[in-house]
Amino acid sequence: MLWSKYRWYCEEPACDRLSFFESTPQVPRRARSTSRLRDQLVDAVIRSGRAVSETAAGFAVSWWMVRAALNEACLLRLPDVDKLSPPDAGHR
């Protein structure tokens, strides 16, 4: 499935932006895929244990898109290591 973003042009002389692309909550600025697709890519890699390249082929997307989705998911879901503390030695 393909989705095309519309490019809009501003003819107002005072406008800082001469052109801009539409955005939606599912496809924010500068995004190349929907958040739903990225979630499905991450889920496919984690559940199947398939390689990034295999998942990319299965979804007909590039491997770098799958890799970017995995990187983003890790940054959003993993805890901040600076806020973690080692387990209490007395509770073994």
mmCIF file of all heavy atoms in Angstrom, residues 1 3 5 23-44 59 61 65-66 68-70 72-73 76-77:
data_model
loop_
_atom_site.group_PDB
_atom_site.id
_atom_site.type_symbol
_atom_site.label_atom_id
_atom_site.label_comp_id
_atom_site.label_asym_id
_atom_site.label_seq_id
_atom_site.Cartn_x
_atom_site.Cartn_y
_atom_site.Cartn_z
ATOM 1 N N MET A 1 0.833 -1.171 0.000
ATOM 2 C CA MET A 1 0.000 0.000 0.000
ATOM 3 C C MET A 1 0.884 1.243 0.000
ATOM 4 O O MET A 1 1.856 1.331 0.716
ATOM 5 C CB MET A 1 -0.875 -0.004 1.249
ATOM 6 C CG MET A 1 -1.772 1.163 1.351
ATOM 7 S SD MET A 1 -2.906 0.895 2.722
ATOM 8 C CE MET A 1 -3.083 2.524 3.287
ATOM 9 N N TRP A 3 1.090 5.517 0.201
ATOM 10 C CA TRP A 3 0.413 6.712 0.676
ATOM 11 C C TRP A 3 1.218 7.903 0.195
ATOM 12 O O TRP A 3 2.437 7.928 0.313
ATOM 13 C CB TRP A 3 0.321 6.695 2.196
ATOM 14 C CG TRP A 3 -0.326 7.897 2.769
ATOM 15 C CD1 TRP A 3 -1.652 8.203 2.746
ATOM 16 C CD2 TRP A 3 0.313 8.972 3.454
ATOM 17 N NE1 TRP A 3 -1.870 9.394 3.380
ATOM 18 C CE2 TRP A 3 -0.689 9.890 3.820
ATOM 19 C CE3 TRP A 3 1.622 9.250 3.784
ATOM 20 C CZ2 TRP A 3 -0.420 11.057 4.503
ATOM 21 C CZ3 TRP A 3 1.895 10.408 4.465
ATOM 22 C CH2 TRP A 3 0.876 11.298 4.829
ATOM 23 N N LYS A 5 1.919 11.946 0.467
ATOM 24 C CA LYS A 5 1.705 13.187 1.208
ATOM 25 C C LYS A 5 1.578 14.313 0.195
ATOM 26 O O LYS A 5 2.296 14.364 -0.796
ATOM 27 C CB LYS A 5 2.901 13.493 2.106
ATOM 28 C CG LYS A 5 3.017 12.640 3.322
ATOM 29 C CD LYS A 5 4.166 13.159 4.166
ATOM 30 C CE LYS A 5 4.289 12.423 5.464
ATOM 31 N NZ LYS A 5 5.332 12.979 6.315
ATOM 32 N N SER A 23 0.687 16.460 7.422
ATOM 33 C CA SER A 23 1.041 15.453 8.413
ATOM 34 C C SER A 23 -0.219 15.060 9.167
ATOM 35 O O SER A 23 -1.182 15.820 9.222
ATOM 36 C CB SER A 23 2.110 15.967 9.379
ATOM 37 O OG SER A 23 1.611 17.038 10.133
ATOM 38 N N THR A 24 -0.189 13.871 9.715
ATOM 39 C CA THR A 24 -1.297 13.350 10.507
ATOM 40 C C THR A 24 -0.702 12.704 11.745
ATOM 41 O O THR A 24 0.504 12.451 11.796
ATOM 42 C CB THR A 24 -2.110 12.290 9.725
ATOM 43 O OG1 THR A 24 -1.274 11.137 9.523
ATOM 44 C CG2 THR A 24 -2.587 12.818 8.381
ATOM 45 N N PRO A 25 -1.507 12.384 12.748
ATOM 46 C CA PRO A 25 -0.959 11.682 13.916
ATOM 47 C C PRO A 25 -0.327 10.331 13.540
ATOM 48 O O PRO A 25 0.653 9.923 14.136
ATOM 49 C CB PRO A 25 -2.169 11.486 14.821
ATOM 50 C CG PRO A 25 -3.100 12.593 14.447
ATOM 51 C CD PRO A 25 -2.902 12.788 12.969
ATOM 52 N N GLN A 26 -0.879 9.658 12.539
ATOM 53 C CA GLN A 26 -0.317 8.373 12.114
ATOM 54 C C GLN A 26 0.961 8.531 11.303
ATOM 55 O O GLN A 26 1.807 7.658 11.300
ATOM 56 C CB GLN A 26 -1.347 7.589 11.292
ATOM 57 C CG GLN A 26 -2.342 6.829 12.114
ATOM 58 C CD GLN A 26 -1.689 5.684 12.872
ATOM 59 O OE1 GLN A 26 -0.879 4.941 12.336
ATOM 60 N NE2 GLN A 26 -2.017 5.563 14.131
ATOM 61 N N VAL A 27 1.086 9.647 10.584
ATOM 62 C CA VAL A 27 2.273 9.900 9.771
ATOM 63 C C VAL A 27 2.754 11.320 10.079
ATOM 64 O O VAL A 27 2.402 12.268 9.407
ATOM 65 C CB VAL A 27 1.984 9.754 8.263
ATOM 66 C CG1 VAL A 27 3.272 9.861 7.460
ATOM 67 C CG2 VAL A 27 1.299 8.435 7.960
ATOM 68 N N PRO A 28 3.567 11.457 11.130
ATOM 69 C CA PRO A 28 4.033 12.788 11.521
ATOM 70 C C PRO A 28 5.027 13.370 10.509
ATOM 71 O O PRO A 28 5.427 12.697 9.556
ATOM 72 C CB PRO A 28 4.691 12.550 12.872
ATOM 73 C CG PRO A 28 4.975 11.104 12.928
ATOM 74 C CD PRO A 28 4.040 10.411 12.006
ATOM 75 N N ARG A 29 5.446 14.594 10.753
ATOM 76 C CA ARG A 29 6.423 15.247 9.878
ATOM 77 C C ARG A 29 7.649 14.376 9.682
ATOM 78 O O ARG A 29 8.139 13.759 10.614
ATOM 79 C CB ARG A 29 6.879 16.564 10.496
ATOM 80 C CG ARG A 29 5.938 17.699 10.269
ATOM 81 C CD ARG A 29 6.458 18.978 10.840
ATOM 82 N NE ARG A 29 7.815 19.258 10.347
ATOM 83 C CZ ARG A 29 8.611 20.150 10.878
ATOM 84 N NH1 ARG A 29 8.241 20.840 11.915
ATOM 85 N NH2 ARG A 29 9.807 20.355 10.376
ATOM 86 N N ARG A 30 8.110 14.349 8.459
ATOM 87 C CA ARG A 30 9.327 13.644 8.041
ATOM 88 C C ARG A 30 9.235 12.125 8.162
ATOM 89 O O ARG A 30 10.239 11.438 7.995
ATOM 90 C CB ARG A 30 10.538 14.179 8.779
ATOM 91 C CG ARG A 30 10.828 15.621 8.466
ATOM 92 C CD ARG A 30 12.166 16.060 9.045
ATOM 93 N NE ARG A 30 12.484 17.389 8.595
ATOM 94 C CZ ARG A 30 12.305 18.481 9.312
ATOM 95 N NH1 ARG A 30 11.816 18.400 10.524
ATOM 96 N NH2 ARG A 30 12.626 19.667 8.824
ATOM 97 N N ALA A 31 8.079 11.576 8.487
ATOM 98 C CA ALA A 31 7.936 10.126 8.590
ATOM 99 C C ALA A 31 7.770 9.510 7.205
ATOM 100 O O ALA A 31 7.191 10.108 6.316
ATOM 101 C CB ALA A 31 6.732 9.772 9.453
ATOM 102 N N ARG A 32 8.280 8.311 7.045
ATOM 103 C CA ARG A 32 8.158 7.603 5.772
ATOM 104 C C ARG A 32 7.187 6.432 5.869
ATOM 105 O O ARG A 32 6.963 5.734 4.899
ATOM 106 C CB ARG A 32 9.519 7.101 5.325
ATOM 107 C CG ARG A 32 10.472 8.220 5.000
ATOM 108 C CD ARG A 32 11.791 7.654 4.535
ATOM 109 N NE ARG A 32 12.651 8.705 4.072
ATOM 110 C CZ ARG A 32 12.815 9.011 2.798
ATOM 111 N NH1 ARG A 32 12.163 8.342 1.880
ATOM 112 N NH2 ARG A 32 13.623 9.985 2.446
ATOM 113 N N SER A 33 6.660 6.208 7.058
ATOM 114 C CA SER A 33 5.707 5.110 7.237
ATOM 115 C C SER A 33 4.778 5.443 8.403
ATOM 116 O O SER A 33 5.068 6.314 9.208
ATOM 117 C CB SER A 33 6.449 3.800 7.523
ATOM 118 O OG SER A 33 7.196 3.907 8.710
ATOM 119 N N THR A 34 3.691 4.696 8.493
ATOM 120 C CA THR A 34 2.745 4.929 9.583
ATOM 121 C C THR A 34 3.261 4.282 10.863
ATOM 122 O O THR A 34 4.058 3.339 10.829
ATOM 123 C CB THR A 34 1.363 4.333 9.257
ATOM 124 O OG1 THR A 34 1.484 2.916 9.150
ATOM 125 C CG2 THR A 34 0.785 4.911 7.982
ATOM 126 N N SER A 35 2.783 4.784 11.978
ATOM 127 C CA SER A 35 3.173 4.181 13.255
ATOM 128 C C SER A 35 2.620 2.763 13.352
ATOM 129 O O SER A 35 3.247 1.896 13.962
ATOM 130 C CB SER A 35 2.698 5.043 14.423
ATOM 131 O OG SER A 35 1.310 5.237 14.372
ATOM 132 N N ARG A 36 1.484 2.505 12.736
ATOM 133 C CA ARG A 36 0.916 1.152 12.748
ATOM 134 C C ARG A 36 1.831 0.172 12.021
ATOM 135 O O ARG A 36 2.076 -0.929 12.504
ATOM 136 C CB ARG A 36 -0.471 1.165 12.111
ATOM 137 C CG ARG A 36 -1.177 -0.162 12.232
ATOM 138 C CD ARG A 36 -2.596 -0.067 11.756
ATOM 139 N NE ARG A 36 -2.596 0.179 10.314
ATOM 140 C CZ ARG A 36 -3.679 0.268 9.578
ATOM 141 N NH1 ARG A 36 -4.870 0.184 10.137
ATOM 142 N NH2 ARG A 36 -3.607 0.462 8.295
ATOM 143 N N LEU A 37 2.381 0.571 10.864
ATOM 144 C CA LEU A 37 3.316 -0.299 10.148
ATOM 145 C C LEU A 37 4.564 -0.532 10.982
ATOM 146 O O LEU A 37 5.038 -1.668 11.103
ATOM 147 C CB LEU A 37 3.691 0.297 8.789
ATOM 148 C CG LEU A 37 4.796 -0.443 8.031
ATOM 149 C CD1 LEU A 37 4.400 -1.894 7.745
ATOM 150 C CD2 LEU A 37 5.158 0.275 6.750
ATOM 151 N N ARG A 38 5.109 0.524 11.588
ATOM 152 C CA ARG A 38 6.318 0.356 12.403
ATOM 153 C C ARG A 38 6.063 -0.588 13.578
ATOM 154 O O ARG A 38 6.901 -1.429 13.900
ATOM 155 C CB ARG A 38 6.823 1.719 12.875
ATOM 156 C CG ARG A 38 7.394 2.555 11.740
ATOM 157 C CD ARG A 38 8.115 3.803 12.237
ATOM 158 N NE ARG A 38 7.287 4.675 13.034
ATOM 159 C CZ ARG A 38 6.483 5.625 12.547
ATOM 160 N NH1 ARG A 38 6.395 5.804 11.252
ATOM 161 N NH2 ARG A 38 5.779 6.386 13.360
ATOM 162 N N ASP A 39 4.892 -0.479 14.201
ATOM 163 C CA ASP A 39 4.544 -1.402 15.295
ATOM 164 C C ASP A 39 4.478 -2.837 14.795
ATOM 165 O O ASP A 39 4.933 -3.762 15.471
ATOM 166 C CB ASP A 39 3.209 -1.006 15.933
ATOM 167 C CG ASP A 39 3.289 0.288 16.724
ATOM 168 O OD1 ASP A 39 4.413 0.731 17.045
ATOM 169 O OD2 ASP A 39 2.209 0.855 17.016
ATOM 170 N N GLN A 40 3.904 -3.038 13.620
ATOM 171 C CA GLN A 40 3.803 -4.385 13.058
ATOM 172 C C GLN A 40 5.174 -4.945 12.697
ATOM 173 O O GLN A 40 5.428 -6.135 12.887
ATOM 174 C CB GLN A 40 2.893 -4.389 11.833
ATOM 175 C CG GLN A 40 1.436 -4.195 12.167
ATOM 176 C CD GLN A 40 0.555 -4.129 10.933
ATOM 177 O OE1 GLN A 40 1.029 -4.020 9.808
ATOM 178 N NE2 GLN A 40 -0.749 -4.185 11.152
ATOM 179 N N LEU A 41 6.065 -4.106 12.213
ATOM 180 C CA LEU A 41 7.424 -4.555 11.893
ATOM 181 C C LEU A 41 8.153 -5.007 13.150
ATOM 182 O O LEU A 41 8.782 -6.075 13.168
ATOM 183 C CB LEU A 41 8.211 -3.435 11.207
ATOM 184 C CG LEU A 41 7.733 -3.005 9.821
ATOM 185 C CD1 LEU A 41 8.491 -1.768 9.363
ATOM 186 C CD2 LEU A 41 7.871 -4.132 8.821
ATOM 187 N N VAL A 42 8.065 -4.210 14.198
ATOM 188 C CA VAL A 42 8.726 -4.559 15.459
ATOM 189 C C VAL A 42 8.142 -5.847 16.018
ATOM 190 O O VAL A 42 8.880 -6.753 16.421
ATOM 191 C CB VAL A 42 8.591 -3.402 16.481
ATOM 192 C CG1 VAL A 42 9.058 -3.834 17.857
ATOM 193 C CG2 VAL A 42 9.371 -2.190 16.000
ATOM 194 N N ASP A 43 6.837 -5.952 16.013
ATOM 195 C CA ASP A 43 6.172 -7.153 16.517
ATOM 196 C C ASP A 43 6.591 -8.385 15.717
ATOM 197 O O ASP A 43 6.832 -9.443 16.284
ATOM 198 C CB ASP A 43 4.658 -6.966 16.466
ATOM 199 C CG ASP A 43 3.919 -8.076 17.178
ATOM 200 O OD1 ASP A 43 4.227 -8.317 18.365
ATOM 201 O OD2 ASP A 43 3.046 -8.704 16.550
ATOM 202 N N ALA A 44 6.696 -8.248 14.402
ATOM 203 C CA ALA A 44 7.081 -9.382 13.554
ATOM 204 C C ALA A 44 8.491 -9.864 13.867
ATOM 205 O O ALA A 44 8.741 -11.067 13.938
ATOM 206 C CB ALA A 44 6.973 -9.000 12.079
ATOM 207 N N PHE A 59 7.310 -7.868 4.434
ATOM 208 C CA PHE A 59 6.433 -6.699 4.413
ATOM 209 C C PHE A 59 6.651 -5.828 3.171
ATOM 210 O O PHE A 59 6.019 -4.787 3.028
ATOM 211 C CB PHE A 59 6.645 -5.846 5.668
ATOM 212 C CG PHE A 59 5.941 -6.364 6.874
ATOM 213 C CD1 PHE A 59 6.502 -7.364 7.657
ATOM 214 C CD2 PHE A 59 4.706 -5.858 7.249
ATOM 215 C CE1 PHE A 59 5.856 -7.836 8.785
ATOM 216 C CE2 PHE A 59 4.054 -6.323 8.373
ATOM 217 C CZ PHE A 59 4.626 -7.331 9.140
ATOM 218 N N VAL A 61 9.230 -3.934 2.431
ATOM 219 C CA VAL A 61 9.831 -2.646 2.781
ATOM 220 C C VAL A 61 11.340 -2.838 2.829
ATOM 221 O O VAL A 61 11.844 -3.958 2.755
ATOM 222 C CB VAL A 61 9.314 -2.104 4.144
ATOM 223 C CG1 VAL A 61 7.818 -1.851 4.091
ATOM 224 C CG2 VAL A 61 9.661 -3.037 5.282
ATOM 225 N N MET A 65 14.181 0.413 7.054
ATOM 226 C CA MET A 65 12.932 0.844 7.680
ATOM 227 C C MET A 65 12.619 -0.031 8.898
ATOM 228 O O MET A 65 12.201 0.465 9.942
ATOM 229 C CB MET A 65 11.761 0.792 6.697
ATOM 230 C CG MET A 65 10.460 1.275 7.322
ATOM 231 S SD MET A 65 9.061 1.236 6.191
ATOM 232 C CE MET A 65 9.442 2.651 5.186
ATOM 233 N N VAL A 66 12.862 -1.338 8.755
ATOM 234 C CA VAL A 66 12.645 -2.259 9.879
ATOM 235 C C VAL A 66 13.630 -1.922 10.997
ATOM 236 O O VAL A 66 13.260 -1.847 12.166
ATOM 237 C CB VAL A 66 12.789 -3.729 9.444
ATOM 238 C CG1 VAL A 66 12.579 -4.666 10.620
ATOM 239 C CG2 VAL A 66 11.814 -4.049 8.319
ATOM 240 N N ALA A 68 15.135 0.923 11.620
ATOM 241 C CA ALA A 68 14.768 2.196 12.237
ATOM 242 C C ALA A 68 13.589 2.018 13.194
ATOM 243 O O ALA A 68 13.561 2.615 14.273
ATOM 244 C CB ALA A 68 14.429 3.227 11.160
ATOM 245 N N ALA A 69 12.619 1.185 12.818
ATOM 246 C CA ALA A 69 11.470 0.924 13.689
ATOM 247 C C ALA A 69 11.924 0.229 14.972
ATOM 248 O O ALA A 69 11.443 0.546 16.068
ATOM 249 C CB ALA A 69 10.435 0.072 12.961
ATOM 250 N N LEU A 70 12.857 -0.708 14.860
ATOM 251 C CA LEU A 70 13.394 -1.387 16.048
ATOM 252 C C LEU A 70 14.162 -0.419 16.943
ATOM 253 O O LEU A 70 14.005 -0.447 18.164
ATOM 254 C CB LEU A 70 14.301 -2.547 15.634
ATOM 255 C CG LEU A 70 13.603 -3.770 15.076
ATOM 256 C CD1 LEU A 70 14.612 -4.739 14.473
ATOM 257 C CD2 LEU A 70 12.797 -4.456 16.155
ATOM 258 N N GLU A 72 13.769 2.825 17.190
ATOM 259 C CA GLU A 72 12.797 3.723 17.811
ATOM 260 C C GLU A 72 12.067 3.021 18.955
ATOM 261 O O GLU A 72 11.877 3.599 20.028
ATOM 262 C CB GLU A 72 11.796 4.195 16.766
ATOM 263 C CG GLU A 72 10.740 5.118 17.312
ATOM 264 C CD GLU A 72 9.707 5.496 16.254
ATOM 265 O OE1 GLU A 72 9.920 5.254 15.064
ATOM 266 O OE2 GLU A 72 8.666 6.042 16.649
ATOM 267 N N ALA A 73 11.674 1.774 18.738
ATOM 268 C CA ALA A 73 10.958 1.028 19.770
ATOM 269 C C ALA A 73 11.834 0.830 21.003
ATOM 270 O O ALA A 73 11.351 0.945 22.136
ATOM 271 C CB ALA A 73 10.500 -0.321 19.222
ATOM 272 N N LEU A 76 12.000 4.067 22.973
ATOM 273 C CA LEU A 76 10.746 4.431 23.624
ATOM 274 C C LEU A 76 10.368 3.487 24.761
ATOM 275 O O LEU A 76 9.687 3.889 25.692
ATOM 276 C CB LEU A 76 9.604 4.456 22.596
ATOM 277 C CG LEU A 76 9.699 5.538 21.528
ATOM 278 C CD1 LEU A 76 8.574 5.369 20.518
ATOM 279 C CD2 LEU A 76 9.649 6.916 22.143
ATOM 280 N N ARG A 77 10.798 2.240 24.695
ATOM 281 C CA ARG A 77 10.324 1.232 25.646
ATOM 282 C C ARG A 77 11.324 0.834 26.710
ATOM 283 O O ARG A 77 10.938 0.356 27.765
ATOM 284 C CB ARG A 77 9.890 -0.021 24.882
ATOM 285 C CG ARG A 77 8.698 0.255 23.994
ATOM 286 C CD ARG A 77 8.298 -0.955 23.219
ATOM 287 N NE ARG A 77 7.278 -0.599 22.245
ATOM 288 C CZ ARG A 77 6.996 -1.288 21.182
ATOM 289 N NH1 ARG A 77 7.640 -2.403 20.925
ATOM 290 N NH2 ARG A 77 6.058 -0.897 20.345
#
